């Protein structure tokens, strides 16, 4: 699958502080990522979605949208989210489902919850190996 990476940073419009764990995704698709502690993100955009809109949202902030067509490839996307009070509706607590029902529901929702196309991501891993009472990293 061909496409490009959209990289950027999300900040609080009032304080300039990084907005951690904000959702960044292409509207109407399952293509999504989350900002890190520094408010930074990287999102792979397939060619088929190169002219779509990216939506950025986080609890406690108003959502922002950016047209990918207006964003030059390779240029960082800088987004500021304005703080916004959000009133939550009534919460209804029900008895938990059985383990079988939870698994059945999870299996039924796999196609909707997970992208069904190929995608790429960056992964960082660290390992330790113990040999003769010494640790090698």
């Amino acid at each position: 699958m061909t496409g490009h990476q959209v990289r950027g940073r999300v900040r609080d419009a009032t304080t300039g502080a990084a907005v951690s764990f904000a959702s960044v995704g292409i509207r109407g698709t399952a293509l999504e990522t989350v900002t890190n502690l520094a408010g930074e993100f990287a999102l792979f955009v397939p060619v088929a979605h190169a002219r779509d809109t990216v939506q950025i949202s986080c609890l406690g902030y108003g959502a922002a949208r950016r047209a990918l067509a207006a964003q030059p490839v390779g240029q960082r996307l800088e987004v500021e989210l304005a703080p916004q009070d959000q009133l939550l509706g009534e919460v209804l607590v029900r008895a938990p489902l059985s383990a079988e029902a939870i698994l059945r529901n999870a299996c039924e929702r796999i196609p909707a919850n997970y992208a069904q196309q190929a995608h790429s991501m960056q992964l960082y891993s660290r390992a330790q190996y113990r040999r003769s009472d010494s640790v090698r990293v």
Side-chain angles (χ1 to χ4, degrees):
M1 175 178 284
T2 60
H4 68 281
Q5 288 274 357
V6 173
R7 296 182 180 275
R9 181 174 42 197
V10 180
R11 295 184 169 273
D12 184 298
T14 304
T15 65
V19 178
S20 305
F21 308 109
S23 295
V24 180
I26 298 176
R27 290 189 69 210
T29 72
L31 301 171
E32 192 168 318
T33 190
V34 179
T35 59
N36 63 15
L37 292 175
E40 298 171 334
F41 67 90
L43 177 67
F44 179 76
V45 178
V47 171
H49 296 285
R51 302 190 64 75
D52 287 357
T53 301
V54 172
Q55 180 164 313
I56 304 95
S57 61
C58 188
L59 189 61
Y61 293 91
R65 294 181 181 149
R66 299 290 186 271
L68 287 172
Q71 180 70 23
V73 174
Q75 182 178 350
R76 286 178 59 88
L77 182 63
E78 298 290 333
V79 179
E80 290 187 343
L81 295 181
Q84 181 180 35
D85 292 335
Q86 296 175 346
L87 296 176
L88 300 177
E90 180 179 330
V91 176
L92 176 63
V93 178
R94 295 189 244 174
L97 297 173
S98 69
E100 181 181 341
I102 291 171
L103 288 173
R104 185 174 41 254
N105 288 343
C107 289
E108 289 172 0
R109 293 181 180 147
I110 286 174
N113 291 339
Y114 297 97
Q116 299 300 305
Q117 310 99 335
H119 65 280
S120 69
M121 70 174 117
Q122 290 181 337
L123 173 71
Y124 300 94
S125 177
R126 181 177 176 176
Q128 289 186 348
Y129 302 96
R130 186 172 296 273
R131 184 175 188 178
S132 300
D133 291 334
S134 64
V135 176
R136 298 175 193 264
V137 178

